[in-house]
Amino acid sequence: MSSKHNISHTTEIAVPIDFVWKTLFDLQDWKQWNKWTLLATKDASATPAEGMPGILKACYEGNDKDWQTFDFVFGEILHGDDKKQQQPVRLLTWRGSVASGCLFSGHHTMRLERIDDTTTRLIHAEHFGGLLPTLGLGLPYKTLNRNYRLMNESFQAHVEQKFKEQEI
């Protein structure tokens, strides 16, 4: 069942897809641009992989206070080509649930698509399921929607600046 609280934001980034992916996949770098969500593997030295447990820290106000911690599992991580579109695609996903998803589930995706040699599309989405989202309970959905948009904007500025500095 689809939730009315599902979120999706798309942002174009004026940087080649491989550079954007390298920056997105560097979870340690998220602290430099992301005031709302931080991801880590449970084993801090491990490289994220599908099925690996992780820890998500969320700060709904983006003020570096009142961080909440949630367990999650990395979903599909794709660094390859979309065979249908014959285009490079990069995908980072994670999911969390409460009561095996009956009460709550969230499936978060950050997908990169190559527009051209110098431009990448970021599609940042989360799909919610379970009883709580159906009732509008469990999370501040309007705040999350705003935060994901702000995350896209912050990531775009960060990666474009980082790319520009690398070219100098």
Side-chain angles (χ1 to χ4, degrees), residues 1-8 103-107 126-137 139 141-142 144:
M1 178 191 310
S2 183
S3 168
K4 67 180 180 179
H5 300 292
N6 290 345
I7 298 168
S8 183
L103 198 53
F104 175 86
S105 67
H107 183 230
E126 183 149 12
H127 296 276
F128 298 102
L131 182 62
L132 291 176
T134 300
L135 298 173
L137 302 172
L139 289 173
Y141 298 102
K142 287 182 182 178
L144 283 176

Side-chain angles (χ1 to χ4, degrees), residues 55-128:
I55 300 168
L56 179 145
K57 288 184 161 188
C59 181
Y60 298 115
E61 297 309 314
N63 59 6
D64 204 22
K65 298 177 186 175
D66 303 320
W67 287 90
Q68 293 185 27
T69 302
F70 302 92
D71 290 333
F72 73 90
V73 175
F74 283 98
E76 184 177 14
I77 298 173
L78 177 64
H79 181 239
D81 292 334
D82 182 317
K83 306 244 185 293
K84 291 179 187 172
Q85 297 177 0
Q86 298 181 348
Q87 289 288 333
V89 173
R90 311 294 181 258
L91 181 67
L92 176 62
T93 69
W94 60 95
R95 59 188 181 278
S97 64
V98 176
S100 299
C102 294
L103 198 53
F104 175 86
S105 67
H107 183 230
H108 199 119
T109 63
M110 295 183 87
R111 178 183 177 96
L112 303 177
E113 298 176 348
R114 179 186 176 275
I115 295 175
D116 59 36
D117 289 346
T118 61
T119 312
T120 302
R121 177 180 298 115
L122 165 62
I123 304 165
H124 183 185
E126 183 149 12
H127 296 276
F128 298 102

Side-chain angles (χ1 to χ4, degrees), residues 15-25 78-81 88-90 112-114 116-120 155 159 163 166:
V15 174
I17 192 169
D18 286 329
F19 191 90
V20 177
W21 173 250
K22 182 180 174 187
T23 306
L24 179 66
F25 199 68
L78 177 64
H79 181 239
D81 292 334
V89 173
R90 311 294 181 258
L112 303 177
E113 298 176 348
R114 179 186 176 275
D116 59 36
D117 289 346
T118 61
T119 312
T120 302
F155 180 68
V159 75
F163 186 73
Q166 175 219 307

